[in-house]
Amino acid sequence: MKNTQTGRPPLLILGCGDVGMRLLPLVRARYRVYAVTSQPERRAELRAAGAIPIVADLDQPWTLRRLRGLARRVVHLAPPPGEGLQDRRTRNVTAILPDGAQVVYVSTTGVYGDCGGALIDETRPLAPRNARARRRVDAERVLRAWGRRAHGRVSILRVPGIYADDRLPTKRLREGTPALAPEDDVYTSHIHADDLARAVALALVRGRAGRVYHAVDFTRMKMGEYFDAVADACGLARPPRLPRAELEHVVAPVLLSFMSESRRLDNARLVGELGLRLRYPDVTAALDEIRRKC
């Protein structure tokens, strides 16, 4: 399907937030991009970035009707709802997808749950431990089922903690929020927001049907070490360290859930199959750049 006015195939982006805005410069020359937003005030911003804005709400199926069949290439960046065990938004999306469409879905590495610090690849069985991750598993399964039924091409990027110059944990560092003591600390994975946007763009071209990719860099760092590195780069105090038994009484449950899962992720498919050359191969490379700018 090509647009008769531009000769470029249409591309629909659902959930055009920070990563979507970073994606737009990478795809607007190749595709005629339609960006869905639930906020009418963002239309000018999206137009300036090279997209055609469409105001619609993934929680309101009737607002999506005009999207039906609009594009055979879709990037799904929208998060699930904030409660429940199902992703109704993704169910609403599949209702407007044309048969044979290509979908790139950005999910989370949280679907694996706690792996005890093991190095895992994409064949690891899913074991989500919280409702947030279970909603992501539900979304993946809904999209896979749609792909089988409608002969679609669904590629899934499982993503860990996303960071960038303006997406660092500086607030919690300034507040002095404690981190885990070294003996209790967990492995955490990362991807720079710019590299994630580049991975999505490559998945549109090279992503295989039904294939999962770990969109992660080469960092092998524990969470407390990450906080220390960010603090050093930004000229802030390193966080205090507490044993897990004490930390459970002083941090929010959501943050504690992140501190309860330890895993390292293999990115061979990302680098080999998608051919992504990471601009920031690890957190240290990005923080060195940030330090030079300070």
Side-chain angles (χ1 to χ4, degrees):
M1 181 191 299
K2 286 191 176 182
N3 184 277
T4 56
Q5 294 179 326
T6 67
R8 291 172 291 160
L11 169 67
L12 180 64
I13 299 179
L14 303 165
C16 199
D18 177 54
V19 174
M21 294 300 290
R22 294 170 192 263
L23 174 64
L24 283 175
L26 307 178
V27 297
R28 63 193 176 198
R30 184 184 183 100
Y31 304 101
R32 183 171 175 84
V33 183
Y34 297 88
V36 173
T37 178
S38 61
Q39 303 171 321
E41 63 272 17
R42 291 198 63 219
R43 287 178 291 189
E45 177 191 13
L46 291 168
R47 285 195 193 97
I52 300 168
I54 299 177
V55 178
D57 189 337
L58 299 188
D59 292 320
Q60 304 293 331
W62 64 270
T63 69
L64 306 179
R65 291 172 188 165
R66 58 181 169 155
L67 303 180
R68 188 183 300 274
L70 177 64
R72 294 180 64 83
R73 294 170 179 83
V74 177
V75 173
H76 184 0
L77 296 167
E83 56 185 23
L85 299 180
Q86 293 185 333
D87 183 356
R88 295 291 178 185
R89 292 173 181 168
T90 293
R91 283 170 167 75
N92 293 338
V93 167
T94 58
I96 57 95
L97 293 175
D99 287 356
Q102 177 192 4
V103 180
V104 176
Y105 177 58
V106 175
S107 183
T108 174
T109 57
V111 297
Y112 297 114
D114 180 35
C115 301
L119 178 64
I120 63 171
D121 64 16
E122 292 86 348
T123 64
R124 176 87 175 195
L126 305 186
R129 296 181 62 179
N130 56 58
R132 182 178 61 253
R134 291 187 182 100
R135 289 190 290 271
R136 289 291 192 177
V137 170
D138 179 69
E140 290 188 13
R141 288 173 176 165
V142 167
L143 286 168
R144 286 175 180 272
W146 169 83
R148 292 189 295 269
R149 182 174 66 251
H151 306 288
R153 179 176 151 199
V154 177
S155 301
I156 297 170
L157 302 182
R158 290 184 181 147
V159 180
I162 305 170
Y163 75 98
D165 293 16
D166 56 351
R167 296 184 65 158
L168 295 172
T170 52
K171 181 176 183 291
R172 60 163 292 155
L173 288 171
R174 290 191 177 96
E175 293 174 348
T177 303
L180 282 166
E183 61 272 17
D184 292 331
D185 210 356
V186 296
Y187 281 102
T188 181
S189 299
H190 307 270
I191 185 74
H192 193 285
D194 286 343
D195 279 328
L196 176 55
R198 294 169 62 231
V200 172
L202 285 170
L204 280 168
V205 179
R206 301 173 182 170
R208 292 165 54 182
R211 196 69 157 167
V212 174
Y213 302 89
H214 286 163
V216 302
D217 63 19
F218 292 100
T219 301
R220 297 288 185 262
M221 186 178 285
K222 291 192 173 182
M223 187 176 291
E225 295 170 338
Y226 171 63
F227 292 142
D228 286 350
V230 173
D232 293 348
C234 298
L236 299 171
R238 290 185 173 190
R241 301 292 195 101
L242 293 178
R244 181 177 297 278
E246 294 182 31
L247 194 74
E248 291 175 352
H249 299 293
V250 297
V251 301
V254 172
L255 180 56
L256 187 63
S257 72
F258 286 110
M259 295 178 165
S260 301
E261 298 181 3
S262 183
R263 52 186 171 263
R264 294 170 295 145
L265 295 125
D266 181 88
N267 63 4
R269 289 185 184 177
L270 178 77
V271 175
E273 291 186 18
L274 295 189
L276 178 63
R277 293 188 176 183
L278 289 156
R279 185 170 298 161
Y280 302 99
D282 56 36
V283 167
T284 301
L287 292 179
D288 285 345
E289 182 176 299
I290 292 170
R291 186 183 287 106
R292 287 194 298 271
K293 292 178 180 178
C294 293

